[in-house]
Amino acid sequence: MAARDLQERIKKLIIDRRLASGAPLPTEPELMEYLGASRNSVREALKALQAMGIVEIRHGFGTYVGPMSLAPMIEGLAFRTVAGHYRGEDSLLQLLELREAVETGLVSRLAGRLPEADLVELDALVGRMEEQAAQGAGLAETDRAFHATLYRGLDNVLLCEVLEAFWDAFHRVRTDLGGEPQDPKVTCRQHREILDAVRSGDSMRAEEAIREHFGNIRARLSTTAPQGPHTATMNAFDR
């Protein structure tokens, strides 16, 4: 039986038995009998599924349903972005445009609809960004928390995970690929404008605020020049 077929049958077993993340899979001998396959074939299929985050092999304990996270997607996006950059492609810009398209399409749905608790939290995050900017500290983690909190209001876990994956892949390689850093005061002002637009219920203003934010990043990416490929690539993935 082809390796791909074995992987698909194991995935179907997880779905058919409604196994949640962390649930134990049948033992190796049970899988061999169920699939009608050799020990080596079953092990290879499980290793491939582990690489995708679908199963987790705990040596000495057995095999379990994996976390099914988007980590493989993040790794793939980050690697593709770096590799494309050193082939002369605008891969980092393409990833940015993907984020921009998704966020611009979503932010108008949030305008005037976020609960007060989320607005208070977002306001506190922008305030923290402003404090960090005044101190000369980095804003990346607070920036990330702002976007995660903003789209949490959509009440769509999968969508929020995808947005996090885009954010993570982009920021894992952006610093290593160079480009002029944005003035932290500009970053703060842009996030304050996004928050004010969403709070006011003005969907058009919210979209414009997101576009301005991404437009500024896009302008800075146009100045990006490759560093030494080996060094930058190692830096990007040694985290």
Side-chain angles (χ1 to χ4, degrees):
M1 183 178 295
R4 180 70 177 176
D5 290 338
L6 286 178
Q7 294 170 34
E8 291 302 317
R9 289 188 62 191
I10 294 172
K11 285 156 66 177
K12 187 175 186 301
L13 180 151
I14 293 171
I15 293 170
D16 289 347
R17 298 189 182 182
R18 295 170 174 77
L19 299 179
S21 294
L25 285 175
T27 64
E28 196 173 83
E30 289 171 340
L31 284 174
M32 290 167 56
E33 181 178 354
Y34 175 78
L35 299 170
S38 69
R39 184 182 302 273
N40 283 341
S41 295
V42 169
R43 286 182 175 177
E44 288 303 311
L46 290 173
K47 286 179 182 178
L49 293 174
Q50 179 172 241
M52 301 176 208
I54 294 174
V55 306
E56 180 184 357
I57 301 171
R58 303 177 190 172
H59 296 289
F61 295 93
T63 304
Y64 299 78
V65 179
M68 302 186 194
S69 74
L70 295 182
M73 174 183 171
I74 295 169
E75 291 294 328
L77 279 171
F79 179 79
R80 183 188 185 284
T81 301
V82 173
H85 179 78
Y86 289 110
R87 290 195 303 266
E89 300 172 5
D90 292 330
S91 54
L92 190 61
L93 179 61
Q94 292 170 12
L95 182 55
L96 175 72
E97 289 177 341
L98 179 58
R99 279 189 59 204
E100 180 181 8
V102 174
E103 293 201 30
T104 301
L106 293 174
V107 73
S108 62
R109 293 169 52 186
L110 295 170
R113 299 179 184 176
L114 285 188
E116 184 60 28
D118 285 1
L119 292 172
V120 169
E121 187 173 345
L122 287 166
D123 190 65
L125 286 167
V126 176
R128 188 187 309 164
M129 291 175 72
E130 292 166 344
E131 291 176 0
Q132 291 170 330
Q135 297 165 1
L139 306 181
E141 287 308 311
T142 311
D143 188 341
R144 180 184 192 131
F146 177 92
H147 287 264
T149 303
L150 178 65
Y151 296 108
R152 184 177 66 196
L154 293 169
D155 197 26
N156 185 320
V157 175
L158 179 59
L159 181 57
C160 290
E161 288 183 358
V162 169
L163 288 170
E164 280 276 288
F166 291 161
W167 200 102
D168 200 14
F170 182 82
H171 284 272
R172 280 186 59 183
V173 298
R174 184 183 66 171
T175 302
D176 298 284
L177 295 185
E180 290 297 320
Q182 176 164 289
D183 183 342
K185 293 180 181 178
V186 173
T187 301
C188 294
R189 179 185 59 77
Q190 290 174 343
H191 285 79
R192 177 68 67 186
E193 173 61 19
I194 293 169
L195 173 57
D196 289 346
V198 169
R199 179 187 280 119
S200 72
D202 189 335
S203 59
M204 292 295 292
R205 180 184 166 197
E207 286 185 22
E208 290 171 3
I210 286 287
R211 287 196 184 96
E212 180 190 354
H213 178 44
F214 281 100
N216 190 279
I217 300 173
R218 187 187 300 106
R220 287 185 294 115
L221 286 183
S222 67
T223 67
T224 298
Q227 305 170 19
H230 178 74
T231 300
T233 303
M234 290 302 292
N235 286 344
F237 293 97
D238 188 20
R239 297 181 181 176

